Amino acid sequence: MDWETMKKQQPTVFQMLERSFEKNRLAHAYIFEGTRGAGKKETAILLAQRMFCSKHHRTVPCGSCKDCTRIRHGNHPDVLLVEPDGKSIKKGQVEQLQKEFGYKGMESSTKVYIVNDSDKMTASAANSLLKFLEEPEGETLAILLTENIHFLLETVISRSQVLTFAPPSYERKAKLLVSEGVGESVAPLLARLPDHLLERYNEDKEWIVQGRSLVIQLTEEALNRPHQMLLTLQDKWLAHFKDREELDAGLDLLLFWYRDLLTVRHEETGLAFPEQRDQLKAEAFQRTELEVTSQLQAVLEAKRQLQANVNPQLLMERLLLRLQEGL
Ligand SMILES: [Zn+2]
């Protein structure tokens, strides 16, 4: 990931950093806070590269010199990354870091350390780090990354400049999932699920894959073979989305389909069902925008009824009727 690409995703953060570089007023410690996949670690690495790169252009590191390459590969002697050892970051790890930075004249006086998941520091590790923040040696830059800033010591926060990262876009989240081994067809759907559901179904992707097929089948039937829908509902849908929580996730998948139907009218990217682009376009051509909006509202209404304990089968039967009529 290069500077310009990350800047497009996190413009506020990068404008801040660029301004600090231009005014030569970089903080000694930064806290990068934001959700998973927001690009905190990539940004920390870019910042470290910028500190050492001899061929940088203004604030942008070249990305290919010896320093940039070593930092990217994690083997630059003056850039250290600390990660949780098991469930926590222990005092010994922070002490080890201080010891390594204690050696003088390694390559330069500038040193950068990045602490990933810094909220996982034990109390003694955090206190040890605090001393380090209070008495930085030379040009030391600390970058603490966290998804839960409220778990950090108040004293650590007050000594750092906090930069808040915007949540990642669906595309970015999907790419991250693909890099973790999720199939390309299902990643855009998983990326759109709320975090608690993503965590639950990330372990059981086959369930989402099958749910995805059911949505494709049901929406196709709503358009071309409405008499089939009740059968599919009985035989497949209710057997797959068994309890309320599962049915709610099923309705989410359905919702993504109708959102795609609105999107595909204007653009072809950013779809939750990218592999069904042709089917979506064909369907979008047969429905008016008003009809699709009303279908979208029908699904949202079903989600509300589900929360209000309406019988799932009854709720789904009503919904299917509205979906096929497009009213
Ligand atoms: Zn460079």
Side-chain angles (χ1 to χ4, degrees):
M1 191 69 69
D2 62 42
W3 188 280
E4 294 300 337
T5 312
M6 265 319 298
K7 189 180 167 182
K8 280 190 195 112
Q9 287 168 23
Q10 297 292 347
T12 315
V13 166
F14 275 74
Q15 275 158 21
M16 274 294 253
L17 290 174
E18 288 181 351
R19 221 174 308 139
S20 305
F21 267 115
E22 278 157 12
K23 292 185 176 167
N24 211 2
R25 281 170 60 179
L26 218 57
H28 280 296
Y30 284 98
I31 295 174
F32 289 177
E33 65 121 355
T35 54
R36 187 170 157 270
K40 300 185 294 295
K41 196 167 167 184
E42 288 94 331
T43 303
I45 287 168
L46 286 167
L47 186 52
Q49 285 179 329
R50 172 57 185 81
M51 298 286 283
F52 292 96
C53 180
S54 50
K55 294 183 191 153
H56 63 84
H57 179 65
R58 302 181 74 160
T59 54
V60 183
C62 78
S64 54
C65 70
K66 191 177 157 209
D67 282 315
C68 283
T69 310
R70 285 161 91 191
I71 291 167
R72 190 171 54 248
H73 292 146
N75 53 23
H76 194 289
D78 294 320
V79 179
L80 295 180
L81 173 70
V82 182
E83 305 226 46
D85 175 13
K87 283 201 160 85
S88 61
I89 297 174
K90 299 174 181 70
K91 190 181 178 191
Q93 291 178 267
V94 177
E95 285 174 345
Q96 179 65 25
L97 177 84
Q98 288 157 342
K99 210 172 112 196
E100 286 190 43
F101 275 178
Y103 297 128
K104 296 282 175 205
M106 289 175 75
E107 299 231 338
S108 67
S109 63
T110 309
K111 297 183 193 312
V112 177
Y113 62 96
I114 302 165
V115 184
N116 200 9
D117 289 324
S118 58
D119 50 276
K120 297 205 168 110
M121 279 187 287
T122 62
S124 55
N127 277 308
S128 195
L129 181 92
L130 193 58
K131 279 185 212 136
F132 207 31
L133 291 181
E134 283 166 343
E135 307 152 10
E137 286 193 32
E139 294 274 302
T140 305
L141 173 67
I143 310 170
L144 312 181
L145 317 181
T146 180
E147 291 172 27
N148 307 291
I149 191 169
H150 49 280
F151 289 154
L152 283 177
L153 288 183
E154 196 50 51
T155 40
V156 170
I157 298 174
S158 67
R159 279 170 182 76
S160 314
Q161 184 172 350
V162 178
L163 295 184
T164 300
F165 281 60
S169 66
Y170 294 139
E171 283 74 37
R172 192 171 151 68
K173 228 167 155 179
K175 265 189 203 151
L176 191 77
L177 288 165
V178 170
S179 77
E180 289 170 356
V182 173
E184 301 235 4
S185 60
V186 71
L189 276 184
L190 276 176
R192 282 164 169 81
L193 288 179
D195 281 345
H196 69 281
L197 284 179
L198 172 66
E199 259 165 52
R200 176 171 166 184
Y201 296 115
N202 206 12
E203 298 300 313
D204 188 11
K205 294 176 197 80
E206 194 46 39
W207 189 84
I208 292 283
V209 172
Q210 285 170 13
R212 173 180 166 276
S213 304
L214 283 176
V215 166
I216 296 167
Q217 182 181 345
L218 214 52
T219 50
E220 192 271 328
E221 287 174 357
L223 196 65
N224 302 321
R225 295 173 291 147
H227 55 280
Q228 275 285 330
M229 291 181 87
L230 280 182
L231 208 62
T232 305
L233 174 68
Q234 283 303 342
D235 286 359
K236 296 180 176 170
W237 185 275
L238 292 172
H240 187 72
F241 300 106
K242 290 190 283 289
D243 57 28
R244 274 173 206 278
E245 196 187 345
E246 289 185 353
L247 186 53
D248 193 47
L251 290 172
D252 276 335
L253 300 186
L254 209 49
L255 202 58
F256 302 150
W257 178 270
Y258 288 103
R259 287 207 182 122
D260 271 9
L261 272 184
L262 288 179
T263 307
V264 85
R265 284 169 189 274
H266 309 290
E267 51 191 321
E268 303 210 337
T269 54
L271 298 176
F273 293 84
E275 289 181 359
Q276 275 62 48
R277 186 178 295 116
D278 291 342
Q279 188 183 330
L280 282 163
K281 278 166 93 171
E283 185 172 344
F285 192 66
Q286 292 181 54
R287 304 270 197 201
T288 66
E289 201 154 344
L290 199 64
E291 279 174 339
V292 179
T293 310
S294 136
Q295 287 169 320
L296 205 63
Q297 277 164 353
V299 182
L300 284 169
E301 179 60 29
K303 274 174 72 74
R304 272 192 295 274
Q305 288 175 349
L306 191 66
Q307 298 309 318
N309 274 339
V310 174
N311 173 284
Q313 177 161 355
L314 191 67
L315 171 154
M316 279 305 298
E317 283 174 4
R318 270 193 226 148
L319 174 62
L320 296 191
L321 199 66
R322 287 187 64 184
L323 292 183
Q324 49 178 284
E325 287 170 349
L327 293 169

